[in-house]
Amino acid sequence: MSVDDKANFAAGLLVVLVGVTVAAYAASSYDLGTLRRMGPGMFPMGLGLLMAALGAIVAIGAAVRVPGRPAREKVSVEWRNAVLATVGVIAFGLMIRPLGLILAVLAVVIIPAFADRKNKPLAVLVLAGVLAALAVAIFHWLLDLPMPLLPMGLR
Amino acid sequence: MLDNLALGLQTALSFDNLLWCFVGVFAGTLLGVIPGIGVLAAISMLLPLTFQLDATAALIMLAGIWYGTSYGGSTASILLNVPGTPSSAITALDGYPMARQGRAGVALLMTTIASFTGGSIGILLLMGFSGSIAQVALQFSSAEYFALMLLGLVAASSMSSGAMSKGLIMVCLGMLFGLVGSDVYTGTRRFTFGMIELADGIALVALALGIFGLSEVIVSIGKIDAKDIDSRSIGLKSMKPTREDVRRSWPPMLRGAAVGSFFGTLPGTGPSIAAFMSYAMERRVSKTPEKFGTGEIEGITGPESANNAADQTAFIPTLALGIPGSATMALMLGALMIHGIAPGPQLMTEQPSLFWGLVMSFWIGNLLLLVLNIPLIGLWVRLLTVPYQWLFPAVLMFICIGTYSVNSSGFDVLMVAMFGILGYALRLLSFPLAPMLLGFVLGPMMEEHFRRAMLLGRGDPLVFLSRPISAVVLLLTLGLLLLGIRSTLRARRLRAQAAHGPR
């Protein structure tokens, strides 16, 4: 199996699992109703089963060997980019309410910035300061969106 | 008709609407120029800003962003060989060689003019046909709506790159996310797992910005380098095309507009496929097809005209039927619904000022773009020279603030993070993302129409086949599915043959 086939096989199986889980959960938690008067569970159950079937098609398609398939080079996962960018966004989500816009913006700029090795600490701090000022100017003064600017105790 | 045009013009020319049209096309061009921000991310980033506006102004602005990105997208294609937006990818083939030959200015000017030409023809068709399509659609019942939506979803999964089965899986996944929240008929909370934040469903903006914005940023970090642009070489003087350029550009622009208008209205296609088709066509009609890819002007004017024509005609099914044909149009429809406006054939008769104001604003927006792009080209070029390592943290900041401002909810921002990771994983496994957004928006509508049709049909699924329009549409859908299966099987057979050598 090529890298592509392996990935597709695993992805197909995962989709089958998700589909079956959704169908089972919908059937057991919600009223299915009748075909004439469908309950809230019928459509999701059908959708789950459909997903499982499609996942099976992908998995089987990958498992049945096709010789001569051009093997894709190994998929490289950009862990550093993915983790730092996502952590930055999560930090913003957790900080915005208790700590306010300014600190949340600093977090979402500074943490992900280090994903790119070309960024130097001092430049990142300047960038974060400029963007925080810009955010306050645009979203607080210009658009007047209701957002806390400072941490809870300091407001 | 004349009354409608006057009403539309009056609406579009009001100070507020003009202003938001300008803001939209300006921001659209700006975000289109920057590589790594697709049109979906651009629209969803700015969607929250439109919530304070009235519905007409909001739509005018969002539409401006949509076709504005098409104008801006070609700039990065020509200068950097990196498309600003997917629909401009094909423009890089001949645009970048032109820039290498010192003809960047000409290429930029001609793509702008081609964009305007294509856009204008698209708007004319939109004005001419929406009314009659809406008239027909007034006869539709739930069965027809369900069938049409199904056709759109199947078409979207078969047209997107890669295997159709993967596209269909993404549609299902999107629909599943769309079902989260309260069931319209019984009020039962589905898939909320007791979380109060999910009672109203997953926020459209959080989903769109996660799968398109955040995951796009993750992919682009460290990949885009803007060093090799000589920004001084692009001035107004360098833009003057030769007579030969102009003579050779008209026919491709007109052909491109025709191709683009057609593919714009088809469900599941859109500006990217339109541009690709136009390029293929230009190569076919050219006397010197071997020269394509070396800086032929036909290779940029055709596709750029096509993608803008498609941008405009894509509004026909969205506005006349309430059925979006692409992920971007789904986002537009979502914006309409957020503003409390029911999309569908009644829109034109019940909200004439919204409909015609929007259409007339397209003219104004396209004219503004012509004016914005030619003298301001230097500004866009300079923007491209801002290092991406400084741009992407700013993009993330706008994503976060944009999402938060919709519901003042930190939870939604956390959802962005979740969908960002999901989107990135799906990209790695080469699942197409656009069908997921289409499924998300259409899913709840399809469920509603399916349940209503079954109720009217007394529980007999044959109700979908007993009505002629719905039956024909379902047959078309089946045909698309079979075509998809056939091409998959044929590709497999060809690969197997190639492996065994010629017989």
Side-chain angles (χ1 to χ4, degrees), chain A residues 8 30 36 38 40 43 51 61 64 66 78 81 86 97 119 145, chain B residues 52 166 172 190-191 218 223 389 408 421 424 447 450-451 455 492:
Chain A
N8 279 341
Y30 311 120
R36 183 170 180 172
M38 291 187 199
F43 201 79
M51 252 179 104
V64 179
V66 182
E78 308 270 0
N81 293 355
T86 311
R97 219 171 249 282
N119 271 328
L145 295 181
Chain B
Q52 286 106 319
K166 283 184 160 178
C172 290
R190 294 187 290 186
F191 303 106
I218 294 175
K223 295 263 160 54
Q389 76 247 33
S408 295
I421 288 292
Y424 182 58
E447 184 190 14
F450 188 71
R451 280 160 81 170
L455 191 65
R492 284 178 82 91

PDB file of all heavy atoms in Angstrom, chain A residues 8 30 36 38 40 43 51 61 64 66 78 81 86 97 119 145, chain B residues 52 166 172 190-191 218 223 389 408 421 424 447 450-451 455 492:
ATOM      1  N   ASN A   8      -5.892   6.728   3.308  1.00  0.00           N
ATOM      2  CA  ASN A   8      -7.295   6.599   2.933  1.00  0.00           C
ATOM      3  C   ASN A   8      -7.968   5.446   3.661  1.00  0.00           C
ATOM      4  O   ASN A   8      -9.132   5.547   4.059  1.00  0.00           O
ATOM      5  CB  ASN A   8      -7.428   6.389   1.421  1.00  0.00           C
ATOM      6  CG  ASN A   8      -7.343   7.690   0.670  1.00  0.00           C
ATOM      7  OD1 ASN A   8      -7.541   8.753   1.266  1.00  0.00           O
ATOM      8  ND2 ASN A   8      -7.037   7.616  -0.603  1.00  0.00           N
ATOM      9  N   TYR A  30     -32.833   9.780  20.643  1.00  0.00           N
ATOM     10  CA  TYR A  30     -33.926  10.616  20.170  1.00  0.00           C
ATOM     11  C   TYR A  30     -35.032   9.758  19.588  1.00  0.00           C
ATOM     12  O   TYR A  30     -34.797   8.633  19.150  1.00  0.00           O
ATOM     13  CB  TYR A  30     -33.419  11.609  19.110  1.00  0.00           C
ATOM     14  CG  TYR A  30     -32.182  12.360  19.525  1.00  0.00           C
ATOM     15  CD1 TYR A  30     -31.009  12.262  18.802  1.00  0.00           C
ATOM     16  CD2 TYR A  30     -32.185  13.142  20.681  1.00  0.00           C
ATOM     17  CE1 TYR A  30     -29.871  12.934  19.186  1.00  0.00           C
ATOM     18  CE2 TYR A  30     -31.048  13.808  21.088  1.00  0.00           C
ATOM     19  CZ  TYR A  30     -29.884  13.697  20.337  1.00  0.00           C
ATOM     20  OH  TYR A  30     -28.765  14.354  20.738  1.00  0.00           O
ATOM     21  N   ARG A  36     -43.851   8.665   8.057  1.00  0.00           N
ATOM     22  CA  ARG A  36     -44.813   9.715   7.755  1.00  0.00           C
ATOM     23  C   ARG A  36     -44.573  10.932   8.648  1.00  0.00           C
ATOM     24  O   ARG A  36     -44.617  12.067   8.190  1.00  0.00           O
ATOM     25  CB  ARG A  36     -46.213   9.162   7.970  1.00  0.00           C
ATOM     26  CG  ARG A  36     -47.261  10.151   7.625  1.00  0.00           C
ATOM     27  CD  ARG A  36     -48.570   9.427   7.631  1.00  0.00           C
ATOM     28  NE  ARG A  36     -49.644  10.335   7.307  1.00  0.00           N
ATOM     29  CZ  ARG A  36     -50.873   9.932   7.099  1.00  0.00           C
ATOM     30  NH1 ARG A  36     -51.172   8.662   7.183  1.00  0.00           N
ATOM     31  NH2 ARG A  36     -51.809  10.794   6.813  1.00  0.00           N
ATOM     32  N   MET A  38     -41.724  12.028  10.929  1.00  0.00           N
ATOM     33  CA  MET A  38     -40.395  11.677  11.434  1.00  0.00           C
ATOM     34  C   MET A  38     -40.080  12.407  12.722  1.00  0.00           C
ATOM     35  O   MET A  38     -40.361  13.593  12.864  1.00  0.00           O
ATOM     36  CB  MET A  38     -39.345  12.050  10.403  1.00  0.00           C
ATOM     37  CG  MET A  38     -39.414  11.203   9.186  1.00  0.00           C
ATOM     38  SD  MET A  38     -38.024  11.621   8.172  1.00  0.00           S
ATOM     39  CE  MET A  38     -38.606  10.991   6.666  1.00  0.00           C
ATOM     40  N   PRO A  40     -37.089  13.528  15.712  1.00  0.00           N
ATOM     41  CA  PRO A  40     -35.788  14.193  15.607  1.00  0.00           C
ATOM     42  C   PRO A  40     -34.620  13.231  15.385  1.00  0.00           C
ATOM     43  O   PRO A  40     -33.529  13.667  15.038  1.00  0.00           O
ATOM     44  CB  PRO A  40     -35.651  14.929  16.947  1.00  0.00           C
ATOM     45  CG  PRO A  40     -36.617  14.268  17.861  1.00  0.00           C
ATOM     46  CD  PRO A  40     -37.729  13.720  17.012  1.00  0.00           C
ATOM     47  N   PHE A  43     -33.568  11.505  10.780  1.00  0.00           N
ATOM     48  CA  PHE A  43     -32.635  12.069   9.794  1.00  0.00           C
ATOM     49  C   PHE A  43     -31.171  11.869  10.211  1.00  0.00           C
ATOM     50  O   PHE A  43     -30.372  11.391   9.405  1.00  0.00           O
ATOM     51  CB  PHE A  43     -32.964  13.547   9.567  1.00  0.00           C
ATOM     52  CG  PHE A  43     -32.456  14.096   8.272  1.00  0.00           C
ATOM     53  CD1 PHE A  43     -33.118  13.858   7.079  1.00  0.00           C
ATOM     54  CD2 PHE A  43     -31.298  14.869   8.240  1.00  0.00           C
ATOM     55  CE1 PHE A  43     -32.652  14.367   5.878  1.00  0.00           C
ATOM     56  CE2 PHE A  43     -30.826  15.383   7.044  1.00  0.00           C
ATOM     57  CZ  PHE A  43     -31.510  15.137   5.860  1.00  0.00           C
ATOM     58  N   MET A  51     -23.019   7.935   6.093  1.00  0.00           N
ATOM     59  CA  MET A  51     -21.597   8.235   6.297  1.00  0.00           C
ATOM     60  C   MET A  51     -20.790   6.962   6.447  1.00  0.00           C
ATOM     61  O   MET A  51     -19.707   6.812   5.872  1.00  0.00           O
ATOM     62  CB  MET A  51     -21.425   9.072   7.565  1.00  0.00           C
ATOM     63  CG  MET A  51     -21.068  10.501   7.303  1.00  0.00           C
ATOM     64  SD  MET A  51     -20.919  11.378   8.848  1.00  0.00           S
ATOM     65  CE  MET A  51     -19.151  11.466   8.959  1.00  0.00           C
ATOM     66  N   GLY A  61     -11.863   0.869  -1.240  1.00  0.00           N
ATOM     67  CA  GLY A  61     -11.155   1.351  -2.424  1.00  0.00           C
ATOM     68  C   GLY A  61      -9.655   1.418  -2.182  1.00  0.00           C
ATOM     69  O   GLY A  61      -8.852   1.147  -3.079  1.00  0.00           O
ATOM     70  N   VAL A  64      -8.270  -2.504  -1.762  1.00  0.00           N
ATOM     71  CA  VAL A  64      -8.133  -3.314  -2.971  1.00  0.00           C
ATOM     72  C   VAL A  64      -6.940  -2.784  -3.749  1.00  0.00           C
ATOM     73  O   VAL A  64      -6.915  -1.637  -4.159  1.00  0.00           O
ATOM     74  CB  VAL A  64      -9.405  -3.222  -3.835  1.00  0.00           C
ATOM     75  CG1 VAL A  64      -9.237  -4.051  -5.091  1.00  0.00           C
ATOM     76  CG2 VAL A  64     -10.597  -3.691  -3.045  1.00  0.00           C
ATOM     77  N   VAL A  66      -4.340  -1.533  -6.188  1.00  0.00           N
ATOM     78  CA  VAL A  66      -4.196  -1.114  -7.575  1.00  0.00           C
ATOM     79  C   VAL A  66      -2.713  -0.941  -7.818  1.00  0.00           C
ATOM     80  O   VAL A  66      -2.100  -0.042  -7.264  1.00  0.00           O
ATOM     81  CB  VAL A  66      -4.908   0.225  -7.844  1.00  0.00           C
ATOM     82  CG1 VAL A  66      -4.763   0.594  -9.300  1.00  0.00           C
ATOM     83  CG2 VAL A  66      -6.359   0.135  -7.472  1.00  0.00           C
ATOM     84  N   GLU A  78       2.847  19.658   9.880  1.00  0.00           N
ATOM     85  CA  GLU A  78       3.530  20.840  10.429  1.00  0.00           C
ATOM     86  C   GLU A  78       3.107  21.008  11.880  1.00  0.00           C
ATOM     87  O   GLU A  78       2.292  21.865  12.205  1.00  0.00           O
ATOM     88  CB  GLU A  78       3.160  22.091   9.623  1.00  0.00           C
ATOM     89  CG  GLU A  78       3.345  21.945   8.133  1.00  0.00           C
ATOM     90  CD  GLU A  78       4.735  22.366   7.690  1.00  0.00           C
ATOM     91  OE1 GLU A  78       5.549  22.769   8.558  1.00  0.00           O
ATOM     92  OE2 GLU A  78       5.014  22.274   6.484  1.00  0.00           O
ATOM     93  N   ASN A  81       3.550  24.593  13.488  1.00  0.00           N
ATOM     94  CA  ASN A  81       2.539  25.553  13.036  1.00  0.00           C
ATOM     95  C   ASN A  81       1.177  25.259  13.648  1.00  0.00           C
ATOM     96  O   ASN A  81       0.500  26.149  14.161  1.00  0.00           O
ATOM     97  CB  ASN A  81       2.364  25.472  11.512  1.00  0.00           C
ATOM     98  CG  ASN A  81       3.589  25.940  10.759  1.00  0.00           C
ATOM     99  OD1 ASN A  81       4.546  26.406  11.379  1.00  0.00           O
ATOM    100  ND2 ASN A  81       3.557  25.821   9.457  1.00  0.00           N
ATOM    101  N   THR A  86      -3.027  27.017  16.947  1.00  0.00           N
ATOM    102  CA  THR A  86      -4.243  26.621  17.655  1.00  0.00           C
ATOM    103  C   THR A  86      -4.202  27.063  19.114  1.00  0.00           C
ATOM    104  O   THR A  86      -5.204  27.551  19.650  1.00  0.00           O
ATOM    105  CB  THR A  86      -4.423  25.093  17.575  1.00  0.00           C
ATOM    106  OG1 THR A  86      -4.255  24.695  16.225  1.00  0.00           O
ATOM    107  CG2 THR A  86      -5.805  24.701  18.042  1.00  0.00           C
ATOM    108  N   ARG A  97     -12.782  37.073  27.947  1.00  0.00           N
ATOM    109  CA  ARG A  97     -13.774  37.537  28.905  1.00  0.00           C
ATOM    110  C   ARG A  97     -13.145  37.964  30.252  1.00  0.00           C
ATOM    111  O   ARG A  97     -13.309  39.112  30.646  1.00  0.00           O
ATOM    112  CB  ARG A  97     -14.847  36.478  29.126  1.00  0.00           C
ATOM    113  CG  ARG A  97     -16.200  37.060  29.252  1.00  0.00           C
ATOM    114  CD  ARG A  97     -17.230  35.962  29.252  1.00  0.00           C
ATOM    115  NE  ARG A  97     -18.036  35.988  28.043  1.00  0.00           N
ATOM    116  CZ  ARG A  97     -19.028  36.866  27.862  1.00  0.00           C
ATOM    117  NH1 ARG A  97     -19.298  37.778  28.766  1.00  0.00           N
ATOM    118  NH2 ARG A  97     -19.748  36.834  26.769  1.00  0.00           N
ATOM    119  N   ASN A 119      10.744  34.865  12.715  1.00  0.00           N
ATOM    120  CA  ASN A 119      10.343  35.909  13.654  1.00  0.00           C
ATOM    121  C   ASN A 119      11.281  35.970  14.859  1.00  0.00           C
ATOM    122  O   ASN A 119      11.551  34.968  15.514  1.00  0.00           O
ATOM    123  CB  ASN A 119       8.916  35.653  14.136  1.00  0.00           C
ATOM    124  CG  ASN A 119       7.893  36.302  13.232  1.00  0.00           C
ATOM    125  OD1 ASN A 119       8.149  37.354  12.650  1.00  0.00           O
ATOM    126  ND2 ASN A 119       6.742  35.670  13.101  1.00  0.00           N
ATOM    127  N   LEU A 145     -17.636  47.811  19.465  1.00  0.00           N
ATOM    128  CA  LEU A 145     -18.129  46.484  19.828  1.00  0.00           C
ATOM    129  C   LEU A 145     -18.017  46.297  21.338  1.00  0.00           C
ATOM    130  O   LEU A 145     -17.046  46.760  21.945  1.00  0.00           O
ATOM    131  CB  LEU A 145     -17.311  45.404  19.119  1.00  0.00           C
ATOM    132  CG  LEU A 145     -17.411  45.371  17.605  1.00  0.00           C
ATOM    133  CD1 LEU A 145     -16.561  44.239  17.047  1.00  0.00           C
ATOM    134  CD2 LEU A 145     -18.851  45.216  17.163  1.00  0.00           C
TER     135      LEU A 145
ATOM    136  N   GLN B  52     -24.114  44.723  12.362  1.00  0.00           N
ATOM    137  CA  GLN B  52     -24.760  45.959  12.786  1.00  0.00           C
ATOM    138  C   GLN B  52     -25.457  46.671  11.630  1.00  0.00           C
ATOM    139  O   GLN B  52     -26.231  47.581  11.848  1.00  0.00           O
ATOM    140  CB  GLN B  52     -23.738  46.933  13.400  1.00  0.00           C
ATOM    141  CG  GLN B  52     -23.281  46.536  14.780  1.00  0.00           C
ATOM    142  CD  GLN B  52     -21.873  45.995  14.738  1.00  0.00           C
ATOM    143  OE1 GLN B  52     -21.504  45.251  13.834  1.00  0.00           O
ATOM    144  NE2 GLN B  52     -21.072  46.376  15.706  1.00  0.00           N
ATOM    145  N   LYS B 166     -15.069  10.967  -1.075  1.00  0.00           N
ATOM    146  CA  LYS B 166     -14.575  11.845  -0.011  1.00  0.00           C
ATOM    147  C   LYS B 166     -15.380  13.138   0.054  1.00  0.00           C
ATOM    148  O   LYS B 166     -15.692  13.639   1.132  1.00  0.00           O
ATOM    149  CB  LYS B 166     -13.104  12.177  -0.255  1.00  0.00           C
ATOM    150  CG  LYS B 166     -12.168  11.047   0.115  1.00  0.00           C
ATOM    151  CD  LYS B 166     -10.738  11.498  -0.068  1.00  0.00           C
ATOM    152  CE  LYS B 166      -9.796  10.632   0.723  1.00  0.00           C
ATOM    153  NZ  LYS B 166      -8.404  11.045   0.502  1.00  0.00           N
ATOM    154  N   CYS B 172     -21.794  15.001   4.255  1.00  0.00           N
ATOM    155  CA  CYS B 172     -22.482  14.387   5.400  1.00  0.00           C
ATOM    156  C   CYS B 172     -21.971  14.975   6.716  1.00  0.00           C
ATOM    157  O   CYS B 172     -22.759  15.288   7.612  1.00  0.00           O
ATOM    158  CB  CYS B 172     -22.268  12.876   5.421  1.00  0.00           C
ATOM    159  SG  CYS B 172     -23.109  12.023   4.101  1.00  0.00           S
ATOM    160  N   ARG B 190     -30.415  18.312  19.928  1.00  0.00           N
ATOM    161  CA  ARG B 190     -29.671  17.181  19.378  1.00  0.00           C
ATOM    162  C   ARG B 190     -28.173  17.449  19.404  1.00  0.00           C
ATOM    163  O   ARG B 190     -27.722  18.538  19.058  1.00  0.00           O
ATOM    164  CB  ARG B 190     -30.119  16.935  17.934  1.00  0.00           C
ATOM    165  CG  ARG B 190     -31.568  16.486  17.869  1.00  0.00           C
ATOM    166  CD  ARG B 190     -31.950  16.077  16.478  1.00  0.00           C
ATOM    167  NE  ARG B 190     -32.021  17.220  15.561  1.00  0.00           N
ATOM    168  CZ  ARG B 190     -32.454  17.117  14.314  1.00  0.00           C
ATOM    169  NH1 ARG B 190     -32.821  15.946  13.838  1.00  0.00           N
ATOM    170  NH2 ARG B 190     -32.511  18.176  13.549  1.00  0.00           N
ATOM    171  N   PHE B 191     -27.433  16.443  19.786  1.00  0.00           N
ATOM    172  CA  PHE B 191     -25.958  16.490  19.774  1.00  0.00           C
ATOM    173  C   PHE B 191     -25.376  17.709  20.494  1.00  0.00           C
ATOM    174  O   PHE B 191     -24.369  18.249  20.085  1.00  0.00           O
ATOM    175  CB  PHE B 191     -25.432  16.460  18.327  1.00  0.00           C
ATOM    176  CG  PHE B 191     -25.890  15.258  17.552  1.00  0.00           C
ATOM    177  CD1 PHE B 191     -26.855  15.375  16.572  1.00  0.00           C
ATOM    178  CD2 PHE B 191     -25.362  14.009  17.837  1.00  0.00           C
ATOM    179  CE1 PHE B 191     -27.283  14.261  15.866  1.00  0.00           C
ATOM    180  CE2 PHE B 191     -25.792  12.880  17.128  1.00  0.00           C
ATOM    181  CZ  PHE B 191     -26.750  13.011  16.147  1.00  0.00           C
ATOM    182  N   ILE B 218      -2.336  27.727   9.119  1.00  0.00           N
ATOM    183  CA  ILE B 218      -1.397  26.674   9.528  1.00  0.00           C
ATOM    184  C   ILE B 218      -0.613  26.171   8.318  1.00  0.00           C
ATOM    185  O   ILE B 218       0.611  25.999   8.372  1.00  0.00           O
ATOM    186  CB  ILE B 218      -2.154  25.494  10.193  1.00  0.00           C
ATOM    187  CG1 ILE B 218      -2.779  25.952  11.515  1.00  0.00           C
ATOM    188  CG2 ILE B 218      -1.212  24.319  10.440  1.00  0.00           C
ATOM    189  CD1 ILE B 218      -3.649  24.910  12.181  1.00  0.00           C
ATOM    190  N   LYS B 223       5.635  29.314   4.245  1.00  0.00           N
ATOM    191  CA  LYS B 223       5.643  28.863   2.846  1.00  0.00           C
ATOM    192  C   LYS B 223       5.711  30.028   1.855  1.00  0.00           C
ATOM    193  O   LYS B 223       6.132  29.856   0.727  1.00  0.00           O
ATOM    194  CB  LYS B 223       4.355  28.082   2.546  1.00  0.00           C
ATOM    195  CG  LYS B 223       4.233  26.818   3.323  1.00  0.00           C
ATOM    196  CD  LYS B 223       4.705  25.605   2.526  1.00  0.00           C
ATOM    197  CE  LYS B 223       5.037  24.467   3.452  1.00  0.00           C
ATOM    198  NZ  LYS B 223       3.917  24.151   4.338  1.00  0.00           N
ATOM    199  N   GLN B 389       5.398  36.477   7.662  1.00  0.00           N
ATOM    200  CA  GLN B 389       5.540  36.146   9.086  1.00  0.00           C
ATOM    201  C   GLN B 389       4.940  37.230   9.988  1.00  0.00           C
ATOM    202  O   GLN B 389       4.684  36.982  11.154  1.00  0.00           O
ATOM    203  CB  GLN B 389       7.003  35.869   9.456  1.00  0.00           C
ATOM    204  CG  GLN B 389       7.900  37.065   9.599  1.00  0.00           C
ATOM    205  CD  GLN B 389       8.954  37.098   8.503  1.00  0.00           C
ATOM    206  OE1 GLN B 389       8.708  36.664   7.384  1.00  0.00           O
ATOM    207  NE2 GLN B 389      10.139  37.607   8.804  1.00  0.00           N
ATOM    208  N   SER B 408     -20.481  37.514  21.324  1.00  0.00           N
ATOM    209  CA  SER B 408     -19.713  37.814  22.533  1.00  0.00           C
ATOM    210  C   SER B 408     -19.418  36.533  23.291  1.00  0.00           C
ATOM    211  O   SER B 408     -19.663  36.430  24.489  1.00  0.00           O
ATOM    212  CB  SER B 408     -20.470  38.785  23.441  1.00  0.00           C
ATOM    213  OG  SER B 408     -20.604  40.009  22.802  1.00  0.00           O
ATOM    214  N   ILE B 421      -8.229  22.591  13.722  1.00  0.00           N
ATOM    215  CA  ILE B 421      -7.486  21.327  13.787  1.00  0.00           C
ATOM    216  C   ILE B 421      -8.138  20.287  12.885  1.00  0.00           C
ATOM    217  O   ILE B 421      -7.470  19.589  12.118  1.00  0.00           O
ATOM    218  CB  ILE B 421      -7.449  20.820  15.255  1.00  0.00           C
ATOM    219  CG1 ILE B 421      -6.514  21.698  16.072  1.00  0.00           C
ATOM    220  CG2 ILE B 421      -7.016  19.380  15.323  1.00  0.00           C
ATOM    221  CD1 ILE B 421      -5.060  21.552  15.678  1.00  0.00           C
ATOM    222  N   TYR B 424      -7.386  21.110   9.303  1.00  0.00           N
ATOM    223  CA  TYR B 424      -5.996  20.810   8.958  1.00  0.00           C
ATOM    224  C   TYR B 424      -5.812  19.302   8.755  1.00  0.00           C
ATOM    225  O   TYR B 424      -5.195  18.865   7.780  1.00  0.00           O
ATOM    226  CB  TYR B 424      -5.061  21.334  10.045  1.00  0.00           C
ATOM    227  CG  TYR B 424      -3.600  21.113   9.737  1.00  0.00           C
ATOM    228  CD1 TYR B 424      -3.027  21.633   8.583  1.00  0.00           C
ATOM    229  CD2 TYR B 424      -2.788  20.376  10.590  1.00  0.00           C
ATOM    230  CE1 TYR B 424      -1.695  21.421   8.283  1.00  0.00           C
ATOM    231  CE2 TYR B 424      -1.449  20.155  10.298  1.00  0.00           C
ATOM    232  CZ  TYR B 424      -0.914  20.676   9.144  1.00  0.00           C
ATOM    233  OH  TYR B 424       0.409  20.459   8.846  1.00  0.00           O
ATOM    234  N   GLU B 447     -33.280  18.684   5.745  1.00  0.00           N
ATOM    235  CA  GLU B 447     -34.038  17.853   6.681  1.00  0.00           C
ATOM    236  C   GLU B 447     -35.476  18.340   6.767  1.00  0.00           C
ATOM    237  O   GLU B 447     -36.427  17.561   6.717  1.00  0.00           O
ATOM    238  CB  GLU B 447     -33.404  17.864   8.076  1.00  0.00           C
ATOM    239  CG  GLU B 447     -34.147  16.928   9.011  1.00  0.00           C
ATOM    240  CD  GLU B 447     -33.753  17.047  10.469  1.00  0.00           C
ATOM    241  OE1 GLU B 447     -33.086  18.040  10.832  1.00  0.00           O
ATOM    242  OE2 GLU B 447     -34.125  16.163  11.244  1.00  0.00           O
ATOM    243  N   PHE B 450     -37.301  17.454   3.617  1.00  0.00           N
ATOM    244  CA  PHE B 450     -37.494  16.006   3.525  1.00  0.00           C
ATOM    245  C   PHE B 450     -38.650  15.570   4.422  1.00  0.00           C
ATOM    246  O   PHE B 450     -39.550  14.850   3.998  1.00  0.00           O
ATOM    247  CB  PHE B 450     -36.205  15.289   3.948  1.00  0.00           C
ATOM    248  CG  PHE B 450     -36.230  13.813   3.716  1.00  0.00           C
ATOM    249  CD1 PHE B 450     -36.165  13.303   2.434  1.00  0.00           C
ATOM    250  CD2 PHE B 450     -36.327  12.928   4.778  1.00  0.00           C
ATOM    251  CE1 PHE B 450     -36.194  11.934   2.209  1.00  0.00           C
ATOM    252  CE2 PHE B 450     -36.362  11.553   4.567  1.00  0.00           C
ATOM    253  CZ  PHE B 450     -36.294  11.055   3.284  1.00  0.00           C
ATOM    254  N   ARG B 451     -38.638  16.087   5.649  1.00  0.00           N
ATOM    255  CA  ARG B 451     -39.695  15.688   6.587  1.00  0.00           C
ATOM    256  C   ARG B 451     -41.044  16.188   6.117  1.00  0.00           C
ATOM    257  O   ARG B 451     -42.059  15.491   6.222  1.00  0.00           O
ATOM    258  CB  ARG B 451     -39.364  16.192   7.996  1.00  0.00           C
ATOM    259  CG  ARG B 451     -38.343  15.286   8.674  1.00  0.00           C
ATOM    260  CD  ARG B 451     -37.630  15.931   9.823  1.00  0.00           C
ATOM    261  NE  ARG B 451     -38.395  15.935  11.059  1.00  0.00           N
ATOM    262  CZ  ARG B 451     -37.871  16.289  12.224  1.00  0.00           C
ATOM    263  NH1 ARG B 451     -36.603  16.660  12.293  1.00  0.00           N
ATOM    264  NH2 ARG B 451     -38.596  16.292  13.311  1.00  0.00           N
ATOM    265  N   LEU B 455     -44.269  13.945   4.972  1.00  0.00           N
ATOM    266  CA  LEU B 455     -45.559  14.156   5.642  1.00  0.00           C
ATOM    267  C   LEU B 455     -46.652  14.323   4.588  1.00  0.00           C
ATOM    268  O   LEU B 455     -47.710  13.690   4.658  1.00  0.00           O
ATOM    269  CB  LEU B 455     -45.457  15.403   6.523  1.00  0.00           C
ATOM    270  CG  LEU B 455     -46.598  15.661   7.491  1.00  0.00           C
ATOM    271  CD1 LEU B 455     -46.638  14.552   8.528  1.00  0.00           C
ATOM    272  CD2 LEU B 455     -46.400  17.002   8.178  1.00  0.00           C
ATOM    273  N   ARG B 492      -8.888   3.815 -12.130  1.00  0.00           N
ATOM    274  CA  ARG B 492      -8.221   2.663 -11.504  1.00  0.00           C
ATOM    275  C   ARG B 492      -7.722   1.687 -12.558  1.00  0.00           C
ATOM    276  O   ARG B 492      -6.609   1.163 -12.477  1.00  0.00           O
ATOM    277  CB  ARG B 492      -9.185   1.931 -10.567  1.00  0.00           C
ATOM    278  CG  ARG B 492      -9.431   2.635  -9.249  1.00  0.00           C
ATOM    279  CD  ARG B 492     -10.434   1.860  -8.435  1.00  0.00           C
ATOM    280  NE  ARG B 492      -9.806   0.751  -7.729  1.00  0.00           N
ATOM    281  CZ  ARG B 492      -9.327   0.872  -6.497  1.00  0.00           C
ATOM    282  NH1 ARG B 492      -9.390   2.008  -5.862  1.00  0.00           N
ATOM    283  NH2 ARG B 492      -8.774  -0.168  -5.904  1.00  0.00           N
TER     284      ARG B 492
END
